[in-house]
Amino acid sequence: MATGRSALLLGVVACVLTGCAQAEAGHPGGPRSGPLVLMTPEPGGPPVPEPQTGLHPEEVLTLPLVTSDMQAVLDEVQARWGDHPELGQSEISLDRTLIILRWHGSPPAELTALAGSRSGGTFDVRVDETRFRDTELGDEAHRLVREHSGVVTSAWPRTEGDGVGLGLDPSVAGNADPAALERLGISSRFPLFPEPLDAPVAASGG
């Protein structure tokens, strides 16, 4: 698991250059936060839709770079808690003024202390508690894709740790809303956040 989480953390810079997702509008981002970069699930997970930033490619290229100090925070979190099942997904604001670390339940005092000691200067660090474990949401995403093949085109643990994002084939589901989930017999013990998404197109061999 440590290797997978390390890949997630190192993927922050790549996310920005390739137009990785910002968090949904309305989520709290602190007094200085901007749009958030979505950390992608671990490799080998269920299909994940290509996220959208709402920015033009040329705007993405002009975003501030992730600084070495910000990367150092993510590296330290990875080194100390990378194997911990309660550790959730991390985010960096697009304006590079905020790092959000996530933990299921009450975070350890050491993590809270680390966030406080790294805040100030050009960016702040915040620890948010998640409703569910990221690993449990990932397992549920796998199940939904497996058991509803042909309807569920993709599924992913939501960055906020509050449920599972669900891509539904619009040609089958129509409107991707709670009523469609009920009609299609799709249910979960976790909150589901459906949206219309076509099935990923497989890359052709050369």
Side-chain angles (χ1 to χ4, degrees):
M1 180 178 293
T3 300
R5 289 196 180 277
S6 178
L8 293 182
L9 298 176
L10 293 176
V12 174
V13 177
C15 271
V16 176
L17 296 179
T18 57
C20 217
Q22 73 178 45
E24 298 173 7
H27 286 290
R32 297 196 302 157
S33 70
L36 299 175
V37 176
L38 175 64
M39 303 296 291
T40 58
E42 294 187 16
V48 178
E50 182 66 27
Q52 301 295 320
T53 63
L55 300 175
H56 296 296
E58 60 271 19
E59 292 177 303
V60 173
L61 293 175
T62 62
L63 292 173
L65 295 177
V66 174
T67 67
S68 58
D69 288 341
M70 299 189 91
Q71 187 63 50
V73 172
L74 299 179
D75 289 343
E76 183 170 355
V77 170
Q78 162 64 24
R80 297 176 66 176
W81 295 285
D83 287 329
H84 204 294
E86 310 298 341
L87 182 65
Q89 298 184 49
S90 302
E91 290 181 287
I92 297 179
S93 63
L94 288 178
D95 63 5
R96 306 297 182 256
T97 62
L98 178 68
I99 294 177
I100 297 179
L101 307 174
R102 289 191 170 90
W103 194 271
H104 175 65
S106 298
E110 294 85 354
L111 182 61
T112 303
L114 183 150
S117 67
R118 300 297 189 275
S119 291
T122 61
F123 66 92
D124 292 323
V125 183
R126 191 178 80 209
V127 181
D128 285 357
E129 294 184 32
T130 65
R131 183 178 176 186
F132 304 109
R133 293 181 180 87
D134 192 64
T135 51
E136 293 177 328
L137 296 177
D139 289 343
E140 181 66 354
H142 276 283
R143 183 191 71 81
L144 289 165
V145 171
R146 182 178 65 252
E147 295 185 5
H148 299 281
S149 176
V151 178
V152 175
T153 59
S154 55
W156 59 95
R158 279 170 53 93
T159 310
E160 298 86 349
D162 58 354
V164 177
L166 203 63
L168 300 180
D169 188 335
S171 67
V172 178
N175 293 328
D177 55 22
L181 293 178
E182 183 176 358
R183 175 170 53 83
L184 295 167
I186 300 173
S187 62
S188 173
R189 65 190 180 98
F190 300 104
L192 299 179
F193 297 82
E195 57 184 279
L197 286 171
D198 292 323
V201 178
S204 58

